[in-house]
């Protein structure tokens, strides 16, 4: 019985789609935003291919070379960029002129720089938030949407992950997150961390940044991942924690708590795929379900045996299937 079972499992795993082989960007540069930021960007793939833009998570996460591999380089022309203050963008970890709407303006400038009328918009986690916000502001510039690990930036989502919810599944990791806070400060973790991340003492900032960043790094996959080590690196942690906390304490600079759901009618005509792991602790599956309820035209894939991260096998499989499908249209 057991040999037959494992043979079936190996067969299923071998059929899952994987990343395309590594390939390089053919052009890179910096977008001068005119208000103090220089945004790193890169173009890769086929200049005659289908235009696409990749929006990374965080906020403050930055892009990595393997993000290119979510797209077939023969059929796609892909723009990737580090959002304000993170990755190779300058100045590092800057919060000045750094809001959702600044980022949307940057995306439009990058589309014009690329010289395309429309493009496929791909975003996961915070990237899904930004993708929806961009599409709702510029629906005529979006050909398709591929959304993973849905995050709608509602108060209940922040409360779940940073106050009372996910902590029950990771008590020892949450205790480490609380270790620098007083009992009073623990009543509002996001605000308490905000004070430290804005401290004039660089060591206070860095200590808080590492703890904030590591909490996410160790809870975004269903099973422990070696990639969590990246979240402890000083430069990454400082940008990630400062920018993420900055956005969260300001409610993503949204006018309303349900803004992304309330405005869905303006993008219901855009072909879209929603992909979410069943056991996503960072962004509950309820987020994807709520989005799908107001957007029944979108294609919803709930991935069993998966958490939040894009490279978990079942999630990656659906992502590659989606980009391949849209490449043919």
């Amino acid at each position: 019985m057991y040999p037959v079972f494992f043979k079936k499992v190996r067969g299923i795993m071998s059929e899952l789609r994987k990343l395309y082989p590594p390939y390089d960007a053919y052009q890179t540069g910096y977008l001068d935003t005119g208000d103090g930021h220089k945004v790193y960007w890169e173009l890769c793939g086929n200049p005659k291919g289908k235009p696409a833009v990749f929006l990374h998570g965080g906020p403050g996460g930055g892009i990595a070379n393997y993000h290119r591999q979510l797209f077939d380089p023969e059929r796609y022309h892909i723009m990737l960029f580090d959002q304000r203050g993170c990755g190779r963008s300058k100045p590092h970890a800057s919060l000045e002129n750094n809001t959702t709407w600044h980022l949307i303006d940057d995306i439009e400038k990058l589309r014009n720089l690329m010289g395309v009328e429309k493009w496929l918009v791909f975003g996961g986690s915070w990237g899904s938030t930004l993708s929806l916000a961009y599409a709702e502001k510029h629906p005529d510039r979006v050909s398709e949407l591929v959304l993973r690990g849905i995050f709608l930036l509602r108060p209940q989502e922040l409360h779940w992950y940073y106050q009372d919810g996910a902590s029950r599944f990771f008590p020892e990791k949450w205790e480490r997150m609380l270790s620098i806070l007083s009992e009073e400060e623990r009543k509002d973790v996001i605000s308490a961390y905000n004070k430290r991340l804005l401290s004039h003492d660089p060591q206070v900032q860095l200590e808080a940044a590492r703890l904030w960043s590591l909490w996410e790094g160790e809870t975004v996959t269903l099973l422990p991942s070696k990639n969590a080590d990246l979240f402890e690196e000083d430069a990454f942690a400082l940008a990630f924690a400062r920018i993420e906390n900055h956005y969260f304490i300001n409610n993503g600079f949204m006018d309303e708590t349900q803004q992304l759901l309330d405005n869905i009618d303006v993008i219901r005509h855009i072909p879209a795929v929603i992909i979410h792991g069943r056991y996503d602790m960072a962004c509950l599956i309820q987020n994807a379900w709520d989005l799908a309820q107001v957007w029944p035209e979108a294609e919803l894939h709930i991935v069993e045996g998966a958490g939040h991260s894009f490279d978990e096998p079942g999630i990656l499989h659906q992502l590659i299937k989606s980009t391949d499908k849209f490449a043919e249209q």
Side-chain angles (χ1 to χ4, degrees):
M1 175 180 175
Y2 292 109
V4 172
F5 170 77
F6 286 115
K7 185 176 181 180
K8 287 182 178 179
V9 170
R10 285 195 296 270
I12 292 170
M13 292 299 289
S14 66
E15 293 172 6
L16 292 177
R17 301 299 309 276
K18 297 179 175 61
L19 290 172
Y20 280 93
Y23 56 94
D24 294 329
Y26 72 82
Q27 186 178 356
T28 66
Y30 283 89
L31 171 73
D32 190 335
T33 65
D35 57 6
H37 288 268
K38 294 186 185 299
V39 172
Y40 171 82
W41 58 265
E42 59 182 44
L43 286 172
C44 56
N46 181 357
K48 295 183 179 180
K50 181 182 182 70
V53 62
F54 175 85
L55 304 183
H56 67 70
I63 58 172
N65 292 346
Y66 48 73
H67 289 141
R68 304 168 190 156
Q69 298 169 241
L70 290 158
F71 304 87
D72 181 348
E74 296 297 321
R75 295 189 289 172
Y76 274 99
H77 189 202
I78 314 109
M79 167 72 75
L80 301 94
F81 69 101
D82 289 321
Q83 295 161 26
R84 295 186 180 209
C86 65
R88 283 161 282 190
S89 292
K90 306 171 185 177
H92 185 70
S94 172
L95 307 181
E96 186 176 356
N97 296 323
N98 196 340
T99 72
T100 303
W101 313 110
H102 286 103
L103 300 185
I104 287 174
D105 287 344
D106 294 345
I107 296 169
E108 269 297 272
K109 289 175 182 175
L110 291 169
R111 183 187 60 78
N112 287 320
L113 184 153
M114 193 174 175
V116 298
E117 286 287 320
K118 289 187 175 186
W119 50 8
L120 177 147
V121 179
F122 182 116
S125 193
W126 156 253
S128 75
T129 320
L130 187 57
S131 295
L132 288 167
Y134 171 76
E136 289 177 359
K137 187 168 184 180
H138 299 286
D140 55 332
R141 299 306 183 189
V142 180
S143 58
E144 300 92 8
L145 284 157
V146 177
L147 307 171
R148 186 269 310 165
I150 304 304
F151 178 41
L152 301 171
L153 241 173
R154 296 174 294 180
Q156 64 263 37
E157 297 172 44
L158 296 175
H159 186 83
W160 161 265
Y161 197 49
Y162 291 103
Q163 198 62 49
D164 183 22
S167 59
R168 296 178 230 170
F169 291 87
F170 307 99
E172 80 287 9
K173 302 181 192 304
W174 185 244
E175 187 59 34
R176 182 181 59 204
M177 178 83 161
L178 299 180
S179 63
I180 60 172
L181 306 183
S182 68
E183 288 298 322
E184 184 64 26
E185 288 175 316
R186 294 181 184 197
K187 296 176 182 177
D188 187 346
V189 173
I190 292 178
S191 293
Y193 263 84
N194 183 258
K195 293 175 183 177
R196 286 166 168 76
L197 292 167
L198 297 181
S199 170
H200 295 297
D201 185 338
Q203 290 306 311
V204 171
Q205 280 194 33
L206 189 56
E207 179 187 36
R210 286 174 179 153
L211 291 173
W212 177 283
S213 184
L214 192 58
W215 162 248
E216 185 157 335
E218 291 190 344
T219 57
V220 291
T221 53
L222 183 63
L223 299 175
S225 169
K226 62 181 180 181
N227 293 333
D229 293 344
L230 164 68
F231 288 78
E232 278 193 288
E233 295 178 4
D234 290 357
F236 178 89
L238 195 62
F240 184 79
R242 276 172 53 84
I243 295 171
E244 196 169 70
N245 180 278
H246 167 68
Y247 273 72
F248 294 170
I249 203 165
N250 287 290
N251 298 312
F253 303 94
M254 301 286 178
D255 296 329
E256 304 170 17
T257 58
Q258 292 272 116
Q259 181 173 335
L260 297 177
L261 294 178
D262 290 345
N263 293 341
I264 209 70
D265 282 352
V266 302
I267 62 170
R268 286 180 64 173
H269 64 286
I270 299 174
V273 177
I274 300 168
I275 300 162
H276 207 105
R278 172 76 71 185
Y279 304 107
D280 187 336
M281 289 292 110
C283 300
L284 289 177
I285 193 173
Q286 188 68 47
N287 303 347
W289 185 254
D290 290 347
L291 179 60
Q293 296 314 292
V294 299
W295 195 4
E297 298 84 357
E299 184 180 316
L300 173 64
H301 294 277
I302 297 173
V303 182
E304 302 293 348
H308 181 71
S309 183
F310 89 93
D311 56 357
E312 297 192 50
I315 293 177
L316 181 59
H317 172 72
Q318 292 295 343
L319 291 172
I320 300 295
K321 274 186 62 179
S322 299
T323 57
D324 280 355
K325 177 183 74 171
F326 287 137
E328 299 169 0
Q329 298 179 7

